[in-house]
Amino acid sequence: MAPKKDRAFQKCINPDCGVQYDCSQTLVKCPACGHLLDIAYDWNRIPVPKKLSDFGKRWADRNNPLDFSGVWRFRELLDFCDDPHKVTIGEGQTILQRNDELAAQLGIRPGRLFLQYEGLNPSGSFKDNGMTAAFSHARRVGAQSSACASTGNTSASMALYAHSCGIKCTVFIGSGRIAYGKLSQSMDYGGKTLQVQGDFDDCMKQVQDVCRELNIYLVNSLNPFRLEGQKTIMYRIIEQLGWELPDWIVVPGGNLGNSSSFGKAFAELKQLGLIDRVPRMAVINASGADTLTHLVNNKKLRWNAGRVDNKAIGDFYAELTAKKFSPHTCASAIEISRPVNLTKCLRALDVCNGVVLAVTDAKIIDAKAQIGLYGLGCEPASAATIAGLKHLLADGVIRPDERIACVLTGHALKDPTVTVNYHKDKMGPFSNPPIEVPNDLQEIIRRMTV
Ligand code: F0G
């Protein structure tokens, strides 16, 4: 049980269990019942500012690394370790771009569409928000070695943070399942890379067993401390909207860590009286990896006050195993069929009155090209948001006058292969193929001017 004195503790999300554990323990699942864990707080013991806008005052003191960090600037809302343990490399300096041009393309009113560019993080994806939190906890517990399974961004981020705090790290990636931009990062940052002959789901299973066996610190989003850091993406969206709420958050769904943490962020802000309503959330799968969409839309799986129908999940996974299903999508970051945070995501959908849907690869790469053309660019998984938004607008689920924030999770340069192929092979209406020209001045001028 958590000692009474601690202001934060770990708590099983299963309401029939609800056992609490001290934050000095390293756990990824409840030892009592096997369900996921949350970080919970004794808010009476934490000096949370009275208004969200009070956090903005920290900008004036941004020569303090914790105030500069877009995660630790909100530290009272993730108060699970003392300052000396906190590790920061300047994560969370991301921008919310108002994008009227793309809005016009989609039939959305000016001033209503915003793109949250998480690709501007140090390792080029949103993962750094979570990794700064996970490695702060790793330092609190004195971890020597860390590991993760990854479709590429978690591994890049882990390697960067592990290196910055002198902790060893090992990356488990599915053979041939990772974009080169991401693979290059983890190798460059000194991560030991294991290419497992299997897909992400295979790696996720192996890494959990290895971490248990060798007492290694796991930094996948099963780690509840990591998800605490990802809550701050929502705080920064609110900050950049002048401390006002959007009507919709649109986010890609892979292992479902982001959507889970966003739901937790809003539930806590509401509980603390810092917001008076909760935005709605749309979680977008790729259709080649759409477990969430299938279970929610077809099987009507719900959070159900924490009493999730685990048999329905088990039966579906048994079907996947029986037909030797392996997910496939060009959005390799979200090529996942057994999302580890499924039940937490169901809770987030409940909190946010959320919707889920799946979009095809063709729609994803078109949307990616549009974001490149009208915005700052992103990787394919991130573009699932705009592809999904188009469907939700067409179906009347999202109205063109609502304020919409799409989370663009990873940088455009993470996966140049998909981008180059889209343009070179003229795969869609936004393709802009290169033109072969002879090494001849007149010919070059002629081709440039046609
Ligand atoms: N977008 C990008 C760019 C990602 O890298 C990921 C996940 C997601 C979206 C999905 O986020 O898991 O919170 O639903 N990438 C993981 C990885 C799986 O290993 O890098 P989620």
Side-chain angles (χ1 to χ4, degrees), residues 134-358:
F135 276 95
S136 297
H137 180 252
R139 293 210 326 170
R140 172 179 170 166
V141 299
Q144 305 288 313
S145 190
S146 59
C148 71
S150 185
T151 56
N153 282 325
T154 303
S155 49
S157 182
M158 172 182 75
L160 185 55
Y161 278 84
H163 187 76
S164 79
C165 54
I167 294 178
K168 290 198 210 97
C169 74
T170 308
V171 171
F172 288 57
I173 55 166
S175 257
R177 301 291 191 124
I178 180 170
Y180 262 25
K182 306 176 186 183
L183 178 60
S184 66
Q185 285 180 289
S186 54
M187 295 191 302
D188 231 10
Y189 301 147
K192 181 179 284 183
T193 306
L194 300 183
Q195 286 190 288
V196 178
Q197 288 163 359
D199 59 23
F200 173 84
D201 299 301
D202 298 319
C203 291
M204 193 65 238
K205 188 185 171 310
Q206 295 292 0
V207 76
Q208 287 182 68
D209 293 346
V210 169
C211 285
R212 208 176 311 114
E213 196 110 326
L214 302 180
N215 192 24
I216 290 175
Y217 192 89
L218 182 72
V219 298
N220 278 103
S221 51
L222 273 175
N223 179 324
F225 296 95
R226 207 190 99 182
L227 293 188
E228 289 306 284
Q230 290 170 215
K231 294 189 303 190
T232 64
I233 300 171
M234 294 301 103
Y235 308 153
R236 295 199 300 273
I237 287 178
I238 299 172
E239 180 179 40
Q240 291 167 101
L241 290 175
W243 307 104
E244 287 180 11
L245 288 164
D247 298 308
W248 281 93
I249 298 290
V250 187
V251 60
N255 230 358
L256 305 178
N258 259 341
S259 44
S260 299
S261 69
F262 299 169
K264 185 170 187 284
F266 289 123
E268 288 173 350
L269 292 181
K270 185 91 196 311
Q271 185 199 346
L272 288 164
L274 292 168
I275 56 174
D276 55 9
R277 68 177 171 89
V278 168
R280 296 191 69 187
M281 179 160 62
V283 184
I284 318 294
N285 280 153
S287 48
D290 62 351
T291 292
L292 177 74
T293 305
H294 174 72
L295 289 174
V296 170
N297 292 354
N298 302 344
K299 299 285 178 194
K300 308 294 172 209
L301 189 71
R302 294 290 181 273
W303 169 241
N304 192 26
R307 296 189 174 86
V308 174
D309 183 355
N310 288 307
K311 182 171 175 317
I313 303 173
D315 288 351
F316 181 62
Y317 288 176
E319 268 176 49
L320 295 183
T321 307
K323 59 182 180 199
K324 295 195 171 53
F325 178 82
S326 184
H328 277 288
T329 163
C330 71
S332 57
I334 51 175
E335 195 180 58
I336 297 171
S337 64
R338 289 171 171 77
V340 294
N341 289 298
L342 179 59
T343 48
K344 280 190 179 176
C345 177
L346 294 173
R347 182 178 63 179
L349 292 170
D350 192 66
V351 168
C352 298
N353 188 15
V355 296
V356 306
L357 82 158

Side-chain angles (χ1 to χ4, degrees), residues 407-425:
V407 184
L408 300 187
T409 46
H411 198 282
L413 296 177
K414 289 278 190 176
D415 191 350
T417 313
V418 168
T419 309
V420 170
N421 288 344
Y422 177 81
H423 291 293
K424 183 171 65 60
D425 300 340

